Amino acid sequence: MSRPCRIAVDLLGAELPAADLLNGAVDALEQHPNCELTFICNRRELKPRVCASQRIVHCEHWVHEQDSLREVLSERTQTSMHVGMHMLQDRAVDGFVSVGSTGALMALGRHLLHTPNGIDRPAVIKEFDGRRRPFWMLDLGANIVRKPSTLHQFARLGVAYACRVGKVKKPRVALLNIGIEERKGPALLRDAAQMLDKSRDLDFVGFVEPSRIFDDTADVVVTDGYAGNIALKSVEGTVNFIRDVFLHELAEDSGNDAAKLIRKPARKRFRRLMKKLDSQRHNGASFVGLNGVVVKSHNSTTQAGMTAAIDRAVCEVELHVPEKIEKFFNKE
């Protein structure tokens, strides 16, 4: 980009104080020096010198989990999420990162940013490292699906993302289910499978079980937001458990310095493995199907997680993801 990439970051409502998350956000600037960050938070929670050195938009309120969608969509509401989304709508920034409610982000995004022609509902998508190559899974928390046609559209959104962003020539699509047999799962999934199987523009490979999604079964794994969010958190929890147990076992024999047990030539690989097993370093999932770059960060994010979420937003802006998704659907 000829001008700096501008990202608004909503820091309110997370488990960690805004001051701690801001440190992680500033770390992202080292990776992206041609980036301008605007922090939406309570100035009183920050040190005066920090306020003087960073772009701060003062805000004291955020969207709470118990807030109804009617309250979220109210124009009289001035929460940090509203402020950031309006900045994106007005093109004052190029992307928006929020630690707020996924459902609220989806509702507000549809209300203010809208969806391109041919897309009814945005979905949360995330890239995962598979056994041999990456794959993408959606929806991870934005929608409770009741119609097979919605899953069909998510499949097309995932294919558009994998094709235009991931450079996969003909993405294979699978539906997440409890088994691979045609009669397994609820009627919603069985009906969606029939619909996907009849779509000539999709390479549908059938159902995939949660235990096989990392086995290069498909390039795009489709599910509804409820099951997808459970799958995402289960994966993250398992990865963190394995990492903690591994480090604990090594530390017991090495005086709390696990690297001491690793031979010097292998230490670089060990640190790379530990980084790969740190779910916070993969924080940040994208809303695909909105006219703008919106990235959802975990509410429980750490400083490293905030850095990763901002990195995801910058990459989406630089890759012109919303424009590529729109062109994909317009082509069809």
Side-chain angles (χ1 to χ4, degrees):
M1 299 179 67
S2 56
R3 58 170 176 75
C5 174
R6 306 161 301 171
I7 305 294
V9 186
D10 169 18
L11 298 176
L12 290 182
E15 292 182 8
L16 281 181
D20 292 343
L21 294 182
L22 189 141
N23 292 330
V26 171
D27 288 343
L29 292 174
E30 296 182 7
Q31 301 176 19
H32 304 283
N34 190 40
C35 180
E36 291 181 356
L37 299 181
T38 299
F39 302 106
I40 307 168
C41 57
N42 190 333
R43 284 180 178 271
R44 289 190 287 272
E45 294 182 2
L46 307 177
K47 295 179 181 178
R49 62 181 178 82
V50 173
C51 293
S53 61
Q54 303 295 335
R55 295 170 180 263
I56 307 291
V57 174
H58 178 71
C59 187
E60 299 181 13
H61 307 286
W62 62 90
V63 175
H64 296 270
E65 288 292 340
Q66 64 269 25
D67 291 345
S68 67
L69 289 183
R70 184 174 183 179
E71 291 173 308
V72 170
L73 297 177
S74 173
E75 290 297 328
R76 293 174 295 177
T77 306
Q78 283 300 311
T79 65
S80 53
M81 188 182 293
H82 285 79
V83 171
M85 201 68 82
H86 275 290
M87 291 177 70
L88 186 57
Q89 180 192 36
D90 297 338
R91 301 185 184 276
V93 295
D94 304 302
F96 178 46
V97 177
S98 177
V99 298
S101 161
T102 304
L105 265 178
M106 192 274 288
L108 202 56
R110 288 183 69 193
H111 179 63
L112 295 178
L113 303 179
H114 308 297
T115 58
N117 291 332
I119 301 175
D120 298 323
R121 303 179 72 84
V124 177
I125 192 169
K126 188 175 178 66
E127 179 181 332
F128 294 85
D129 290 327
R131 192 178 297 275
R132 287 182 291 273
R133 58 182 178 179
F135 69 94
W136 291 264
M137 186 158 65
L138 76 166
D139 174 36
L140 298 179
N143 302 276
I144 302 299
V145 176
R146 295 182 175 85
K147 298 188 297 183
S149 58
T150 305
L151 291 175
H152 181 268
Q153 187 169 104
F154 288 171
R156 296 177 67 229
L157 276 172
V159 166
Y161 197 99
C163 182
R164 293 298 175 92
V165 180
K167 305 299 183 183
V168 181
K169 288 186 178 179
K170 192 174 182 182
R172 298 160 300 157
V173 179
L175 271 175
L176 188 67
N177 200 353
I178 58 173
I180 62 173
E181 296 86 355
E182 290 184 1
R183 285 185 276 182
K184 282 288 182 74
L188 171 69
L189 291 180
R190 299 197 304 271
D191 292 344
Q194 292 182 8
M195 187 177 293
L196 290 170
D197 196 41
K198 293 177 182 177
S199 299
R200 296 181 179 179
D201 58 330
L202 296 176
D203 184 9
F204 181 59
V205 297
F207 294 132
V208 59
E209 297 182 46
S211 59
R212 301 298 302 275
I213 60 175
F214 293 93
D215 292 350
D216 195 33
T217 303
D219 303 295
V220 176
V221 177
V222 179
T223 180
D224 88 307
Y226 182 76
N229 197 259
I230 290 176
L232 172 64
K233 290 176 178 175
S234 297
V235 168
E236 290 175 340
T238 302
V239 168
N240 287 336
F241 173 74
I242 292 172
R243 184 175 186 271
D244 291 345
V245 169
F246 186 45
L247 288 173
H248 176 73
E249 291 297 323
L250 286 176
E252 280 194 343
D253 297 324
S254 59
N256 293 323
D257 187 358
K260 285 182 180 179
L261 281 181
I262 311 298
R263 291 184 178 182
K264 200 168 185 178
R267 286 179 187 173
K268 190 173 182 179
R269 290 185 178 182
F270 171 74
R271 293 191 179 97
R272 190 164 63 239
L273 174 62
M274 289 300 97
K275 187 176 181 178
K276 198 168 187 177
L277 290 176
D278 184 358
S279 64
Q280 286 291 340
R281 294 186 181 276
H282 302 279
N283 180 43
S286 312
F287 274 83
V288 61
L290 283 177
N291 290 318
V293 172
V294 177
V295 172
K296 170 69 174 76
S297 167
H298 273 309
N299 175 268
S300 58
T301 185
T302 62
Q303 294 183 27
M306 181 53 66
T307 303
I310 293 172
D311 176 70
R312 171 94 316 254
V314 173
C315 290
E316 295 249 334
V317 171
E318 292 179 343
L319 289 171
H320 305 287
V321 171
E323 293 85 351
K324 288 181 177 179
I325 299 300
E326 183 177 15
K327 286 180 181 178
F328 182 91
F329 274 79
N330 288 340
K331 176 202 70 173
E332 297 178 342

